[in-house]
Amino acid sequence: MYRSHSCGALRESHIDTLVTLSGWVQKTRDKGFVVWVDIRDRYGITQLVFDEDRTPSELLEKARNLGREFVVQAKGKVIERASKNNNIPTGNIEVLVQELTVLNESKTPPFTIEDETDGGEDLRMKFRYLDLRRNPIKNNLVFRSKVSMEVRKYLSEQGFIEVETPYLIKSTPEGARDFVVPSRMNEGQFYALPQSPQTFKQLLMVGGLDKYFQIVKCFRDEDLRADRQPEFTQIDCEMAFVEQEDILNVFEGLTTYLLKEIKGIEVDAFPRITFDEAMKKYGNDKPDIRFGMEFGELNAVAQHKDFNVFNSAELVVGIAVPGGAGYTRKEIDKLIDWVRRPQIGAKGMVYVKCNEDGTFKSSVDKFYDREDLANWAKETQARAGDLICVLSGDVNKTRTQLSALRMELAERMGLRKPNEFAPLWVIDFPLLELDEETGHYHAMHHPFTSPKPGQLELLDTDPGAVRANAYDLVLNGNEIGGGSIRIHDKETQAVMFKHLGFTPEEAKAQFGFLMDAFQYGAPPHGGIAFGLDRLVAILGGQETIRDFIAFPKNNSGRDVMIDAPSPIDKVQLEELNLKLDIKS
């Protein structure tokens, strides 16, 4: 056998035991009369020892010739370590080696395989298989596996069954672009990779499988960010004979269970706020509620003086920064420069210092008196010692800008604590969003989302006012899950397609299979999908998902390790009946 124990298993209780270890050489230390070799595997590090008194000369020489990352097998006796290392679990013992086998040699790696490596991100992505040997990445993947197992355990105990759905499906308009796959046997026709298993899980409900889940790969050909990948993993779920409250209760339970089992944290409060309330209080639909700084709308108390910047604005809105009155003018100027950056787009910022003695000092003192500024403090819930930051302009843009400032300030002030968790539900989203460029409405979630009861008729008169029977689960300022109660009858679905701009012929061509299924006794149903990559990263105390994925893509959607995407052979193109001008 290659090993009797892992490199992290041996303790003082194993002293005088003959063992066999296998792993990678972490480092060697040669003192002339003695050589120490640290050998590493997934489970830990054990020190091997070779010395002139107890080790044959040829074996000692063999140890001296070991290089970093050589794969070796060592057989020997566990002995007490003279100079103990309290930083590792195996630090009280070492193995006096009697046999050493080099299983494979290694080139010198391009970066150090240590927790604090000297390799940059691009280099580590290129040699990802080496990066996986480092504890931070390895531990992230072990952590991800644990989360996945606990998800399966919880859902199985709740009566859900896991069903696999197809990866080669029909291209449908779900919001993002599809990745398409040409069919060799059907000339000129294409499959698409699923953006989600949405229609299939609805068909499973029609089929009577009333509690479904799947941990599934999904694909979207869209612009990337740190928390997005072209392929990602969802915890996809659907239930039949349920209303919104049933789904919220089940998945509050899942979230509570994961926080308890994975993090040892008890969470019992899941506040619920409407989409409109979230936008008004926080400026976005996935607010971080671990800290305050809620928006205070100031139109009524700021648009009565001769300050035209505010008078001409749709919205004047501010936040109170705790302890911010102590900021210097230079620090405030840096904040103003920050909001003026192109990424934020504000034209400027008005500020008010709420001094400890009850006085106010603002950048607009010549327009507003103490009573005015006291009213601003009241609306933003500012206290003595706080700083009020005020932005103005178009409603949507200004809320977005102030939301970005709120998050930036919270980051700088250490208010976004990675081991503090604050979930909430955002409900009552608009059913439709207006595309300002085309003037057409599109589904805010997807075309199968049901309107709130009693609001279907509003589609003909005021489509923008219709609320969706939809909900998002937000954790620490990140949407970790989203879903809705679905439309389950053909007539309502036809009305929805009409308002999304589909002709009856287009709707039948795209979704005829689903409409037909609804004629055979479709039950009321709804569901939710969690982003597993994002959920795992947040539970792991991070917000970027890349280090929790074994083989991620970079910001350009490329796998630099295997060099994909890449051109394919001309013969393959001809078999697929594709004609492309391929440059040599």
Side-chain angles (χ1 to χ4, degrees), residues 264-300:
I265 292 173
E266 300 272 5
V267 173
D268 53 12
F270 282 74
R272 300 180 188 183
I273 62 174
T274 66
F275 170 85
D276 290 340
E277 188 181 356
M279 297 304 293
K280 188 170 183 176
K281 283 188 174 182
Y282 303 102
N284 69 67
D285 58 3
K286 46 182 183 295
D288 190 336
I289 58 170
R290 286 174 293 180
F291 56 94
M293 289 195 278
E294 292 183 8
F295 290 11
E297 296 195 356
L298 305 176
N299 290 45

mmCIF file of all heavy atoms in Angstrom, residues 264-300:
data_model
loop_
_atom_site.group_PDB
_atom_site.id
_atom_site.type_symbol
_atom_site.label_atom_id
_atom_site.label_comp_id
_atom_site.label_asym_id
_atom_site.label_seq_id
_atom_site.Cartn_x
_atom_site.Cartn_y
_atom_site.Cartn_z
ATOM 1 N N GLY A 264 -22.061 27.426 12.859
ATOM 2 C CA GLY A 264 -22.366 27.409 14.278
ATOM 3 C C GLY A 264 -23.077 28.664 14.746
ATOM 4 O O GLY A 264 -22.970 29.059 15.913
ATOM 5 N N ILE A 265 -23.830 29.301 13.841
ATOM 6 C CA ILE A 265 -24.500 30.575 14.144
ATOM 7 C C ILE A 265 -26.011 30.381 14.122
ATOM 8 O O ILE A 265 -26.563 29.787 13.189
ATOM 9 C CB ILE A 265 -24.079 31.661 13.123
ATOM 10 C CG1 ILE A 265 -22.595 32.020 13.309
ATOM 11 C CG2 ILE A 265 -24.945 32.906 13.242
ATOM 12 C CD1 ILE A 265 -22.052 32.932 12.257
ATOM 13 N N GLU A 266 -26.673 30.866 15.151
ATOM 14 C CA GLU A 266 -28.138 30.808 15.224
ATOM 15 C C GLU A 266 -28.728 32.094 14.639
ATOM 16 O O GLU A 266 -28.412 33.187 15.099
ATOM 17 C CB GLU A 266 -28.591 30.662 16.683
ATOM 18 C CG GLU A 266 -28.072 29.407 17.381
ATOM 19 C CD GLU A 266 -28.985 28.213 17.178
ATOM 20 O OE1 GLU A 266 -29.966 28.356 16.419
ATOM 21 O OE2 GLU A 266 -28.699 27.155 17.764
ATOM 22 N N VAL A 267 -29.560 31.961 13.621
ATOM 23 C CA VAL A 267 -30.256 33.109 13.028
ATOM 24 C C VAL A 267 -31.742 32.778 12.998
ATOM 25 O O VAL A 267 -32.138 31.764 12.429
ATOM 26 C CB VAL A 267 -29.748 33.408 11.599
ATOM 27 C CG1 VAL A 267 -30.610 34.489 10.958
ATOM 28 C CG2 VAL A 267 -28.296 33.847 11.626
ATOM 29 N N ASP A 268 -32.549 33.625 13.618
ATOM 30 C CA ASP A 268 -33.987 33.349 13.604
ATOM 31 C C ASP A 268 -34.791 34.468 12.968
ATOM 32 O O ASP A 268 -35.998 34.329 12.763
ATOM 33 C CB ASP A 268 -34.501 33.077 15.016
ATOM 34 C CG ASP A 268 -34.124 34.182 16.006
ATOM 35 O OD1 ASP A 268 -33.678 35.247 15.555
ATOM 36 O OD2 ASP A 268 -34.276 33.946 17.218
ATOM 37 N N ALA A 269 -34.150 35.592 12.645
ATOM 38 C CA ALA A 269 -34.874 36.731 12.071
ATOM 39 C C ALA A 269 -34.628 36.815 10.573
ATOM 40 O O ALA A 269 -33.486 36.925 10.125
ATOM 41 C CB ALA A 269 -34.427 38.023 12.752
ATOM 42 N N PHE A 270 -35.708 36.736 9.804
ATOM 43 C CA PHE A 270 -35.651 36.923 8.360
ATOM 44 C C PHE A 270 -36.615 38.056 8.006
ATOM 45 O O PHE A 270 -37.765 37.809 7.637
ATOM 46 C CB PHE A 270 -36.049 35.651 7.615
ATOM 47 C CG PHE A 270 -34.980 34.598 7.554
ATOM 48 C CD1 PHE A 270 -34.659 33.851 8.681
ATOM 49 C CD2 PHE A 270 -34.288 34.342 6.383
ATOM 50 C CE1 PHE A 270 -33.683 32.878 8.644
ATOM 51 C CE2 PHE A 270 -33.301 33.363 6.324
ATOM 52 C CZ PHE A 270 -33.000 32.631 7.466
ATOM 53 N N PRO A 271 -36.173 39.314 8.166
ATOM 54 C CA PRO A 271 -37.079 40.425 7.839
ATOM 55 C C PRO A 271 -37.568 40.324 6.398
ATOM 56 O O PRO A 271 -36.882 39.750 5.534
ATOM 57 C CB PRO A 271 -36.202 41.663 8.028
ATOM 58 C CG PRO A 271 -35.039 41.220 8.842
ATOM 59 C CD PRO A 271 -34.833 39.777 8.539
ATOM 60 N N ARG A 272 -38.725 40.878 6.141
ATOM 61 C CA ARG A 272 -39.266 40.916 4.788
ATOM 62 C C ARG A 272 -39.561 42.364 4.430
ATOM 63 O O ARG A 272 -40.265 43.055 5.171
ATOM 64 C CB ARG A 272 -40.539 40.083 4.685
ATOM 65 C CG ARG A 272 -40.297 38.624 5.025
ATOM 66 C CD ARG A 272 -41.543 37.795 4.917
ATOM 67 N NE ARG A 272 -41.306 36.449 5.433
ATOM 68 C CZ ARG A 272 -42.191 35.481 5.420
ATOM 69 N NH1 ARG A 272 -43.408 35.710 4.927
ATOM 70 N NH2 ARG A 272 -41.908 34.298 5.900
ATOM 71 N N ILE A 273 -39.009 42.816 3.321
ATOM 72 C CA ILE A 273 -39.310 44.164 2.849
ATOM 73 C C ILE A 273 -39.671 44.085 1.372
ATOM 74 O O ILE A 273 -39.217 43.188 0.655
ATOM 75 C CB ILE A 273 -38.130 45.144 3.064
ATOM 76 C CG1 ILE A 273 -36.886 44.708 2.273
ATOM 77 C CG2 ILE A 273 -37.786 45.264 4.538
ATOM 78 C CD1 ILE A 273 -35.759 45.731 2.339
ATOM 79 N N THR A 274 -40.489 45.016 0.945
ATOM 80 C CA THR A 274 -40.872 45.035 -0.463
ATOM 81 C C THR A 274 -39.734 45.623 -1.300
ATOM 82 O O THR A 274 -38.844 46.304 -0.784
ATOM 83 C CB THR A 274 -42.131 45.882 -0.670
ATOM 84 O OG1 THR A 274 -41.815 47.250 -0.375
ATOM 85 C CG2 THR A 274 -43.272 45.399 0.204
ATOM 86 N N PHE A 275 -39.797 45.352 -2.582
ATOM 87 C CA PHE A 275 -38.826 45.919 -3.520
ATOM 88 C C PHE A 275 -38.817 47.437 -3.420
ATOM 89 O O PHE A 275 -37.750 48.060 -3.354
ATOM 90 C CB PHE A 275 -39.187 45.477 -4.939
ATOM 91 C CG PHE A 275 -38.402 46.175 -6.026
ATOM 92 C CD1 PHE A 275 -37.151 45.710 -6.418
ATOM 93 C CD2 PHE A 275 -38.921 47.307 -6.664
ATOM 94 C CE1 PHE A 275 -36.435 46.355 -7.403
ATOM 95 C CE2 PHE A 275 -38.205 47.951 -7.655
ATOM 96 C CZ PHE A 275 -36.960 47.472 -8.028
ATOM 97 N N ASP A 276 -40.013 48.049 -3.393
ATOM 98 C CA ASP A 276 -40.082 49.521 -3.329
ATOM 99 C C ASP A 276 -39.445 50.046 -2.047
ATOM 100 O O ASP A 276 -38.750 51.065 -2.051
ATOM 101 C CB ASP A 276 -41.544 49.977 -3.403
ATOM 102 C CG ASP A 276 -42.151 49.744 -4.785
ATOM 103 O OD1 ASP A 276 -41.376 49.591 -5.758
ATOM 104 O OD2 ASP A 276 -43.392 49.703 -4.891
ATOM 105 N N GLU A 277 -39.672 49.345 -0.936
ATOM 106 C CA GLU A 277 -39.090 49.760 0.345
ATOM 107 C C GLU A 277 -37.571 49.629 0.317
ATOM 108 O O GLU A 277 -36.842 50.486 0.827
ATOM 109 C CB GLU A 277 -39.684 48.897 1.460
ATOM 110 C CG GLU A 277 -39.325 49.345 2.860
ATOM 111 C CD GLU A 277 -39.930 48.434 3.926
ATOM 112 O OE1 GLU A 277 -40.681 47.500 3.564
ATOM 113 O OE2 GLU A 277 -39.631 48.655 5.109
ATOM 114 N N ALA A 278 -37.076 48.546 -0.282
ATOM 115 C CA ALA A 278 -35.628 48.348 -0.371
ATOM 116 C C ALA A 278 -34.972 49.454 -1.187
ATOM 117 O O ALA A 278 -33.912 49.982 -0.804
ATOM 118 C CB ALA A 278 -35.324 46.981 -1.001
ATOM 119 N N MET A 279 -35.603 49.832 -2.298
ATOM 120 C CA MET A 279 -35.039 50.891 -3.133
ATOM 121 C C MET A 279 -35.071 52.228 -2.403
ATOM 122 O O MET A 279 -34.135 53.032 -2.508
ATOM 123 C CB MET A 279 -35.794 50.985 -4.454
ATOM 124 C CG MET A 279 -35.712 49.737 -5.324
ATOM 125 S SD MET A 279 -34.008 49.241 -5.714
ATOM 126 C CE MET A 279 -33.488 50.615 -6.741
ATOM 127 N N LYS A 280 -36.142 52.480 -1.655
ATOM 128 C CA LYS A 280 -36.276 53.761 -0.954
ATOM 129 C C LYS A 280 -35.310 53.861 0.220
ATOM 130 O O LYS A 280 -34.718 54.910 0.469
ATOM 131 C CB LYS A 280 -37.718 53.920 -0.474
ATOM 132 C CG LYS A 280 -38.014 55.296 0.107
ATOM 133 C CD LYS A 280 -39.509 55.481 0.353
ATOM 134 C CE LYS A 280 -39.790 56.893 0.878
ATOM 135 N NZ LYS A 280 -41.229 57.144 1.044
ATOM 136 N N LYS A 281 -35.104 52.766 0.956
ATOM 137 C CA LYS A 281 -34.270 52.796 2.158
ATOM 138 C C LYS A 281 -32.780 52.576 1.883
ATOM 139 O O LYS A 281 -31.929 53.076 2.615
ATOM 140 C CB LYS A 281 -34.732 51.721 3.144
ATOM 141 C CG LYS A 281 -35.978 52.069 3.919
ATOM 142 C CD LYS A 281 -36.216 51.012 4.988
ATOM 143 C CE LYS A 281 -37.378 51.382 5.889
ATOM 144 N NZ LYS A 281 -37.581 50.368 6.951
ATOM 145 N N TYR A 282 -32.488 51.775 0.819
ATOM 146 C CA TYR A 282 -31.101 51.362 0.609
ATOM 147 C C TYR A 282 -30.584 51.613 -0.806
ATOM 148 O O TYR A 282 -29.396 51.444 -1.072
ATOM 149 C CB TYR A 282 -30.938 49.877 0.929
ATOM 150 C CG TYR A 282 -31.369 49.512 2.332
ATOM 151 C CD1 TYR A 282 -32.600 48.907 2.575
ATOM 152 C CD2 TYR A 282 -30.541 49.783 3.419
ATOM 153 C CE1 TYR A 282 -32.995 48.575 3.864
ATOM 154 C CE2 TYR A 282 -30.930 49.449 4.716
ATOM 155 C CZ TYR A 282 -32.153 48.839 4.931
ATOM 156 O OH TYR A 282 -32.544 48.519 6.205
ATOM 157 N N GLY A 283 -31.478 51.935 -1.731
ATOM 158 C CA GLY A 283 -31.041 52.241 -3.087
ATOM 159 C C GLY A 283 -30.748 51.038 -3.944
ATOM 160 O O GLY A 283 -30.323 51.175 -5.085
ATOM 161 N N ASN A 284 -30.972 49.827 -3.432
ATOM 162 C CA ASN A 284 -30.833 48.635 -4.269
ATOM 163 C C ASN A 284 -31.722 47.529 -3.714
ATOM 164 O O ASN A 284 -32.239 47.631 -2.597
ATOM 165 C CB ASN A 284 -29.368 48.188 -4.383
ATOM 166 C CG ASN A 284 -28.823 47.634 -3.093
ATOM 167 O OD1 ASN A 284 -29.244 46.586 -2.625
ATOM 168 N ND2 ASN A 284 -27.873 48.349 -2.496
ATOM 169 N N ASP A 285 -31.892 46.468 -4.522
ATOM 170 C CA ASP A 285 -32.828 45.411 -4.141
ATOM 171 C C ASP A 285 -32.138 44.249 -3.436
ATOM 172 O O ASP A 285 -32.736 43.180 -3.280
ATOM 173 C CB ASP A 285 -33.616 44.916 -5.361
ATOM 174 C CG ASP A 285 -32.713 44.385 -6.469
ATOM 175 O OD1 ASP A 285 -31.483 44.349 -6.274
ATOM 176 O OD2 ASP A 285 -33.241 44.005 -7.534
ATOM 177 N N LYS A 286 -30.883 44.433 -3.028
ATOM 178 C CA LYS A 286 -30.197 43.409 -2.230
ATOM 179 C C LYS A 286 -29.398 44.090 -1.116
ATOM 180 O O LYS A 286 -28.173 44.016 -1.066
ATOM 181 C CB LYS A 286 -29.308 42.535 -3.111
ATOM 182 C CG LYS A 286 -28.427 43.260 -4.109
ATOM 183 C CD LYS A 286 -27.636 42.261 -4.944
ATOM 184 C CE LYS A 286 -26.686 42.942 -5.897
ATOM 185 N NZ LYS A 286 -27.398 43.740 -6.921
ATOM 186 N N PRO A 287 -30.105 44.746 -0.204
ATOM 187 C CA PRO A 287 -29.415 45.562 0.795
ATOM 188 C C PRO A 287 -28.672 44.738 1.846
ATOM 189 O O PRO A 287 -29.119 43.653 2.236
ATOM 190 C CB PRO A 287 -30.561 46.357 1.444
ATOM 191 C CG PRO A 287 -31.767 45.518 1.224
ATOM 192 C CD PRO A 287 -31.572 44.829 -0.083
ATOM 193 N N ASP A 288 -27.559 45.288 2.289
ATOM 194 C CA ASP A 288 -26.819 44.735 3.420
ATOM 195 C C ASP A 288 -27.371 45.399 4.671
ATOM 196 O O ASP A 288 -27.231 46.616 4.853
ATOM 197 C CB ASP A 288 -25.330 45.027 3.266
ATOM 198 C CG ASP A 288 -24.476 44.264 4.274
ATOM 199 O OD1 ASP A 288 -25.004 43.884 5.342
ATOM 200 O OD2 ASP A 288 -23.279 44.037 3.990
ATOM 201 N N ILE A 289 -28.009 44.629 5.552
ATOM 202 C CA ILE A 289 -28.642 45.209 6.738
ATOM 203 C C ILE A 289 -27.846 44.911 8.009
ATOM 204 O O ILE A 289 -28.383 45.015 9.117
ATOM 205 C CB ILE A 289 -30.103 44.712 6.893
ATOM 206 C CG1 ILE A 289 -30.157 43.183 6.995
ATOM 207 C CG2 ILE A 289 -30.953 45.210 5.730
ATOM 208 C CD1 ILE A 289 -31.531 42.645 7.400
ATOM 209 N N ARG A 290 -26.556 44.580 7.844
ATOM 210 C CA ARG A 290 -25.711 44.389 9.027
ATOM 211 C C ARG A 290 -25.383 45.720 9.692
ATOM 212 O O ARG A 290 -24.865 45.750 10.802
ATOM 213 C CB ARG A 290 -24.412 43.683 8.640
ATOM 214 C CG ARG A 290 -24.562 42.202 8.347
ATOM 215 C CD ARG A 290 -23.277 41.599 7.845
ATOM 216 N NE ARG A 290 -22.904 42.105 6.528
ATOM 217 C CZ ARG A 290 -21.812 41.718 5.876
ATOM 218 N NH1 ARG A 290 -20.983 40.857 6.432
ATOM 219 N NH2 ARG A 290 -21.554 42.203 4.680
ATOM 220 N N PHE A 291 -25.668 46.807 9.030
ATOM 221 C CA PHE A 291 -25.398 48.137 9.570
ATOM 222 C C PHE A 291 -26.527 49.066 9.130
ATOM 223 O O PHE A 291 -27.362 48.699 8.317
ATOM 224 C CB PHE A 291 -24.037 48.653 9.071
ATOM 225 C CG PHE A 291 -23.908 48.667 7.577
ATOM 226 C CD1 PHE A 291 -24.194 49.809 6.854
ATOM 227 C CD2 PHE A 291 -23.519 47.531 6.881
ATOM 228 C CE1 PHE A 291 -24.100 49.829 5.475
ATOM 229 C CE2 PHE A 291 -23.406 47.537 5.498
ATOM 230 C CZ PHE A 291 -23.696 48.689 4.785
ATOM 231 N N GLY A 292 -26.560 50.275 9.694
ATOM 232 C CA GLY A 292 -27.650 51.210 9.424
ATOM 233 C C GLY A 292 -27.423 52.028 8.165
ATOM 234 O O GLY A 292 -27.369 51.528 7.062
ATOM 235 N N MET A 293 -27.312 53.350 8.346
ATOM 236 C CA MET A 293 -27.151 54.279 7.227
ATOM 237 C C MET A 293 -28.291 54.149 6.219
ATOM 238 O O MET A 293 -28.071 54.099 5.012
ATOM 239 C CB MET A 293 -25.787 54.116 6.542
ATOM 240 C CG MET A 293 -24.632 54.607 7.384
ATOM 241 S SD MET A 293 -23.078 54.843 6.460
ATOM 242 C CE MET A 293 -22.436 53.187 6.420
ATOM 243 N N GLU A 294 -29.524 54.069 6.733
ATOM 244 C CA GLU A 294 -30.678 54.047 5.831
ATOM 245 C C GLU A 294 -30.860 55.427 5.207
ATOM 246 O O GLU A 294 -30.524 56.452 5.797
ATOM 247 C CB GLU A 294 -31.943 53.650 6.600
ATOM 248 C CG GLU A 294 -31.921 52.219 7.074
ATOM 249 C CD GLU A 294 -33.218 51.832 7.764
ATOM 250 O OE1 GLU A 294 -34.179 52.633 7.739
ATOM 251 O OE2 GLU A 294 -33.268 50.730 8.337
ATOM 252 N N PHE A 295 -31.416 55.443 4.000
ATOM 253 C CA PHE A 295 -31.609 56.691 3.279
ATOM 254 C C PHE A 295 -32.669 57.562 3.965
ATOM 255 O O PHE A 295 -33.666 57.049 4.474
ATOM 256 C CB PHE A 295 -32.088 56.429 1.846
ATOM 257 C CG PHE A 295 -31.050 55.824 0.930
ATOM 258 C CD1 PHE A 295 -29.851 55.330 1.411
ATOM 259 C CD2 PHE A 295 -31.285 55.753 -0.438
ATOM 260 C CE1 PHE A 295 -28.906 54.776 0.571
ATOM 261 C CE2 PHE A 295 -30.350 55.209 -1.293
ATOM 262 C CZ PHE A 295 -29.161 54.713 -0.794
ATOM 263 N N GLY A 296 -32.422 58.860 3.934
ATOM 264 C CA GLY A 296 -33.441 59.817 4.344
ATOM 265 C C GLY A 296 -33.752 60.736 3.167
ATOM 266 O O GLY A 296 -32.859 61.416 2.661
ATOM 267 N N GLU A 297 -35.003 60.728 2.691
ATOM 268 C CA GLU A 297 -35.372 61.563 1.550
ATOM 269 C C GLU A 297 -35.629 62.990 2.032
ATOM 270 O O GLU A 297 -36.380 63.210 2.987
ATOM 271 C CB GLU A 297 -36.584 60.976 0.831
ATOM 272 C CG GLU A 297 -36.276 59.611 0.221
ATOM 273 C CD GLU A 297 -37.296 59.150 -0.801
ATOM 274 O OE1 GLU A 297 -38.309 59.865 -1.002
ATOM 275 O OE2 GLU A 297 -37.072 58.085 -1.410
ATOM 276 N N LEU A 298 -35.002 63.953 1.356
ATOM 277 C CA LEU A 298 -34.935 65.324 1.852
ATOM 278 C C LEU A 298 -35.663 66.351 0.983
ATOM 279 O O LEU A 298 -35.554 67.548 1.242
ATOM 280 C CB LEU A 298 -33.459 65.738 1.990
ATOM 281 C CG LEU A 298 -32.568 64.824 2.847
ATOM 282 C CD1 LEU A 298 -31.121 65.295 2.805
ATOM 283 C CD2 LEU A 298 -33.077 64.785 4.280
ATOM 284 N N ASN A 299 -36.395 65.897 -0.024
ATOM 285 C CA ASN A 299 -37.055 66.858 -0.916
ATOM 286 C C ASN A 299 -37.872 67.894 -0.134
ATOM 287 O O ASN A 299 -37.782 69.102 -0.380
ATOM 288 C CB ASN A 299 -37.985 66.128 -1.895
ATOM 289 C CG ASN A 299 -37.215 65.325 -2.921
ATOM 290 O OD1 ASN A 299 -36.273 64.630 -2.571
ATOM 291 N ND2 ASN A 299 -37.601 65.424 -4.183
ATOM 292 N N ALA A 300 -38.652 67.418 0.839
ATOM 293 C CA ALA A 300 -39.566 68.317 1.554
ATOM 294 C C ALA A 300 -38.833 69.327 2.424
ATOM 295 O O ALA A 300 -39.383 70.399 2.711
ATOM 296 C CB ALA A 300 -40.520 67.488 2.420
#
